[in-house]
Amino acid sequence: MTPRPLLVFAALAVATVLSVARAADATLTLRADQPGPIINRNIYGHFAEHLGHCIYEGIWVGPDSPIPNTKGYRNDVLAALKTLHVPILRWPGGCFADEYHWKDGIGPRESRPSMFNSHWGGVVENNHFGTHEFLDLCEMLGIEPYVCLNVGSGTVQEAMEWVEYMTSPANSPMANLRRAHGRQEPWKVKYLAIGNESWGCGGSMTPEFYADNFRRYNTFVKNYTSTRLYRVACGPDGSNYNWTEVLMQKAAKNMNGLALHNYTLPTGDWKKKGAATDFPEAEWFSTLRNTLRMEELITKHTAIMDKYDPEKKVALVVDEWGTWYDKTPGSKDGFLVQQNTLRDAIVAALNFHIFHRHADRVTMANIAQMVNVLQAAILTEGDKMILTPTYHAFEMFKVHQDATSLRVDLLSPDYSFGDEKIAAVSASASRDAAGKVHLSLVNTDPHHAVTVACALAGVEPKSVTGRILTAATMDAHNTFAAPDAVKPAPFTGAQLENGELTVALPAKSVVVLEL
Ligand code: AHR
């Protein structure tokens, strides 16, 4: 359910100076007796592109690097990803995918040809991280690989052969080429994207032209084992509803998923997006307001999909989302380097709640991107690594992976700024396989704590525990000098009394409770 405003707070001038708690601000009913769809774990997916220092330096340093590594993957990042339970990882792009020729990335590394990365910084890519390096990483960490095929500058045959190379157990040419490069058995690859942003960097196609291309590629991308491939078509950019209409009309029968890309910019202006740190409250507010648009986008795209697919067989796959700020001053153009603050953790949590509410249609989402690029979970510099507030939000919310969503009815006060307002509180809940109920809460208001009075139906908890992510300032962040400035802490603001739960939710915080 969409949060509804309960109270309208005082004028901005007062709101910006107060930082005290207000009493009994929100009411919430947790309907554990009304289970909804499963929250697919893949909603907590990531995206890693050959862009800046995401792959090279962020994940891959090569086996000869002085940075501690396992077969070329940096150990600190491997350990951090393991803790995060990353369910699925999209690769190799992004825009990069539509200029990537997979055969350049197999065989002995020293003999692989280089390529020019025209989209991202104009750097020369040595192709040392290719199909084997990606799929072995996924296998090592128990992550589902999600491979994006080159539709823009590649050929149908190239795509067809790549799928054979990765998945065929037969005594066939591409499977034998894979064996010649040291991998006997096929990898488990189920998820495939047929092109990326084909309306833009992936080929500037019309929806009609892409729909035909999707069907053509799809015909030749074969299932080589009993595991049927999960085929994701390129979907709309934000609110391009016509793209969804055309794709669903022409190709719904051929696809398992339709992708949606939507980035959150503080200003909404690509030329001056807004800074990642040291931003005014106006940009805290506008970032959160803009990210909440995800709800409207999913609702409207779903309504179109429902016309052609009322049984919801085709998923809406939000395979690129997150914040996009002006690059860190001094960083290289095209590397999309940005800091990550408490604001990003709040953005992540708000989006998780939206995805949970649409779990019947949204079964996968991939944040852009995993390491060192855009809203990254992990930042590295030389041999150092830090976990960002976004990482901590993902880690706190991992309890919702594959759990059954539960209905939450919420009446929230507003967080007002100027003459605009959004709900101060956002919430969602789920029950996991062991029967544990988790309630996650966000307070978007940077000044006021909110007391949430929670009625519980269908659950009679004996105890409540929890963790909180918050900080003193809106742009609090971790640095290589102070890596733990923002990190989760035990939460003691939840009280159970006579079957009622009361939560004192601090200003600008994310809380996850276990009942
Ligand atoms: O994530 C960065 C870029 O944003 C991706 O390469 C592209 O698909 C999108 O426009």
Side-chain angles (χ1 to χ4, degrees), residues 248-436:
M248 290 303 289
Q249 193 183 52
K250 289 184 172 285
K253 282 193 210 67
N254 313 85
M255 66 176 82
N256 301 101
L258 182 70
L260 166 66
H261 288 185
N262 184 52
Y263 285 97
T264 300
L265 281 60
T267 62
D269 176 358
W270 283 96
K271 291 200 188 82
K272 199 159 180 16
K273 299 179 264 300
T277 57
D278 202 16
F279 47 79
E281 185 181 348
E283 289 185 14
W284 165 275
F285 179 86
S286 62
T287 302
L288 304 187
R289 180 201 58 207
N290 293 351
T291 213
L292 287 166
R293 259 191 84 222
M294 183 67 88
E295 179 93 50
E296 179 189 327
L297 292 175
I298 292 176
T299 303
K300 290 189 173 168
H301 286 296
T302 296
I304 297 167
M305 294 174 80
D306 283 350
K307 280 200 292 179
Y308 300 94
D309 172 37
E311 291 171 40
K312 297 191 190 288
K313 288 188 180 148
V314 180
L316 187 59
V317 170
V318 190
D319 63 15
E320 285 188 32
W321 69 275
T323 54
W324 195 321
Y325 305 126
D326 294 333
K327 69 176 185 121
T328 298
S331 66
K332 190 168 164 47
D333 281 343
F335 274 29
L336 312 188
V337 177
Q338 61 188 45
Q339 243 306 354
N340 193 293
T341 69
L342 179 64
R343 178 176 61 172
D344 293 86
I346 303 253
V347 163
L350 291 175
N351 279 280
F352 296 151
H353 286 170
I354 295 169
F355 299 151
H356 293 177
R357 280 197 284 278
H358 293 273
D360 58 346
R361 184 65 89 175
V362 178
T363 58
M364 195 206 300
N366 306 76
I367 192 159
Q369 297 194 5
M370 193 159 80
V371 191
N372 289 334
V373 170
L374 298 176
Q375 193 180 343
I378 296 172
L379 298 176
T380 66
E381 191 180 85
D383 63 354
K384 297 196 196 71
M385 180 201 77
I386 52 174
L387 307 176
T388 67
T390 293
Y391 177 97
H392 294 307
F394 269 83
E395 194 278 319
M396 288 168 71
F397 273 68
K398 71 185 180 191
V399 292
H400 290 299
Q401 290 188 17
D402 284 343
T404 304
S405 59
L406 301 173
R407 180 171 160 182
V408 171
D409 296 339
L410 174 66
L411 285 169
S412 167
D414 294 327
Y415 159 40
S416 302
F417 188 85
D419 53 7
E420 290 189 89
K421 58 189 184 215
I422 58 174
V425 179
S426 162
S428 76
S430 68
R431 193 195 299 271
D432 70 13
K436 290 209 169 77

Side-chain angles (χ1 to χ4, degrees), residues 49-66:
E49 181 166 12
H50 289 238
L51 192 176
H53 293 307
C54 183
I55 301 283
Y56 298 103
E57 295 190 26
I59 298 169
W60 177 260
V61 287
D64 301 328
S65 170

